[in-house]
Amino acid sequence: MCSEPPSSPQVVEEGGEEEEEELSGGEESELRTPSGRGSLLTRRGITLRVLLKDGLVEPGDGVLTIHYLGKKFVGDLLNDGKIRWVETGQIFNSPSAWATHCKRLVNPAKKSGCGWASVRYRGQKLVQYKTSWLHKYQPSADMVRRGGRGWVVMRRVGGAEEGLVPRRGDRERIPVRYCTLGPRDAARDPHTLVELSAFSAINRFQPFNVAVSSNVLLLMDFHCHLTTSEVVGYLGGRWDTNTQLLTVLRAFPCRTRLADRDSASAVEEEICQNLFMRGLSLVGWYHSHPRGPALPSLQDIDSQMDHQLRLQGSSNGFQPCLGIICGPYYHGNQGVASTITPFWVVPPPEQRPNDYGIPVAVEVTYVQDNFLTSDVLNEMMLLVDFYKAAPDLVQFHQFWCPDTTMMDKIKGSLSGHAPKDQAYCQILEHVYNQLLNTH
């Protein structure tokens, strides 16, 4: 992520998808009428220059920060309302441009930066200064930012936005072997599932060891069971370069599925703070294939490859990025337990650069925790609260198979990860009762 500061400031203009774009001086003046201070200035037209002019913020070195997935970026606020990134000296015209640029360094699939919700001025989000300006100068302005676009799209960590997972009449998605793919083909369905290879089958050794906490599996499996739609989350842990051991200690479910940038930004901010407070690094991500095999799609392969390349190119040196797919409601699973598939992607051979990456199975050691932490239990209750009114909440009274209800299924699947202590079984029963009461 680090680069040498350029000899002269480089102005970067990105973030065009954001509503908070900087306006030229002429456009800004046109929004203000002679009869009143900013009486026609909309929320869209409030820029850093406006906040500077009206004294809500002041120029300064290092007064702007972004925290994103364990990474911190620091910027200077200049007199003209532009932002200078301290690390490289690059100049950005708006919070959106800076946030988009920085976040894409960590997550290349990031579409926009949600600048005003992501950038903090002296520890407080810039969007709060925008709100203060409106309260002060336009108290009658509509302060509601409409994000309620309905169940339109689900945010995917590593790829494009997707609609709610279709039932497809529960049509079977037959995985293909990697060797049958050949070069990339734009006409190929990106949701095509691909069988995993073994490292040994491609004459490789697994380049790292992985240990995953049972609490991670429990929370992830619980999240994936709640809805018939695809879910996604992050994995936090530690990477030991001496032992080449990646330890996955926490799951961070994303409690958002809408194209609401404010919602997505708030969730990422919360996860970022959780990682930081616990001294953890971002070590991977998970998502579900609700009714299909827990195998990566072509889109998943590209997303995973992007994450791996970004981590390898960061200032932290090489660090593995683990992908996990959970298949809770696939009828091809053994019994009631979800299929949980850790995977990694090996780049295609140099002589075939247009091929897809090779998805490989990762051998993992699962470490049984002695108890459920308060963080896990709290996250489970937050998930229940988030999904309880959703139209695609699983109907837990219905039957999974002739003699097993959906609730029996989730209990059976989670029992493989839960501590054996009777006290914690009772705690889980309380969570299950909350689920049953959502209907």
Side-chain angles (χ1 to χ4, degrees), residues 21-283:
E21 284 306 291
E22 291 289 321
L23 305 175
S24 68
E27 289 171 317
E28 182 178 320
S29 62
E30 288 174 4
L31 285 168
R32 296 176 179 269
T33 63
S35 58
R37 183 177 215 165
S39 58
L40 294 181
L41 189 59
T42 66
R43 189 182 191 98
R44 182 186 181 96
I46 303 173
T47 66
L48 281 175
R49 284 198 299 273
V50 172
L51 299 183
L52 285 165
K53 182 175 181 180
D54 290 330
L56 272 73
V57 298
E58 296 178 349
D61 294 338
V63 296
L64 300 176
T65 56
I66 296 172
H67 290 87
Y68 182 66
L69 301 182
K71 302 292 184 182
K72 181 180 180 181
F73 305 87
V74 180
D76 303 330
L77 178 56
L78 306 181
N79 292 321
D80 59 359
K82 294 182 180 180
I83 298 169
R84 180 173 57 221
W85 185 16
V86 170
E87 187 173 2
T88 65
Q90 291 170 282
I91 305 296
F92 296 85
N93 284 333
S94 69
S96 301
W98 186 42
T100 299
H101 182 83
C102 292
K103 290 185 177 184
R104 284 177 180 168
L105 294 177
V106 181
N107 176 13
K110 187 70 177 173
K111 299 298 182 183
S112 59
C114 307
W116 287 79
S118 302
V119 179
R120 294 176 180 266
Y121 172 81
R122 300 189 185 278
Q124 188 172 354
K125 291 181 179 180
L126 280 179
V127 70
Q128 294 173 290
Y129 289 92
K130 179 181 286 192
T131 299
S132 298
W133 190 98
L134 282 167
H135 277 309
K136 184 174 182 179
Y137 296 121
Q138 293 184 201
S140 61
D142 178 12
M143 300 302 296
V144 179
R145 301 191 69 183
R146 290 183 173 85
R149 299 184 176 114
W151 305 103
V152 181
V153 296
M154 182 197 314
R155 192 172 162 279
R156 281 289 298 274
V157 170
E161 293 174 334
E162 291 185 345
L164 293 179
V165 175
R167 300 189 72 94
R168 301 173 185 249
D170 280 356
R171 174 173 59 84
E172 182 80 15
R173 294 168 64 187
I174 306 299
V176 302
R177 298 180 64 186
Y178 176 81
C179 61
T180 67
L181 289 176
R184 290 178 177 274
D185 182 356
R188 190 184 294 273
D189 182 359
H191 303 294
T192 299
L193 300 180
V194 183
E195 294 180 359
L196 294 178
S197 301
F199 276 99
S200 59
I202 56 174
N203 298 316
R204 298 284 191 97
F205 292 100
Q206 185 171 310
F208 50 86
N209 298 312
V210 182
V212 179
S213 156
S214 63
N215 279 343
V216 170
L217 298 175
L218 186 141
L219 181 55
M220 180 177 63
D221 199 8
F222 181 78
H223 185 198
C224 296
H225 266 97
L226 297 183
T227 170
T228 59
S229 298
E230 187 173 331
V231 303
V232 70
Y234 294 101
L235 301 172
R238 298 189 178 94
W239 166 240
D240 189 324
T241 56
N242 294 322
T243 61
Q244 296 290 287
L245 175 64
L246 185 73
T247 307
V248 185
L249 298 170
R250 279 292 310 272
F252 296 95
C254 290
R255 296 188 301 276
T256 180
R257 302 177 305 163
L258 307 180
D260 180 357
R261 292 171 180 165
D262 287 341
S263 175
S265 175
V267 168
E268 289 186 343
E269 180 74 17
E270 180 183 356
I271 291 174
C272 172
Q273 293 299 325
N274 278 329
L275 284 166
F276 179 76
M277 288 187 299
R278 289 163 177 78
L280 301 177
S281 301
L282 176 67
V283 296

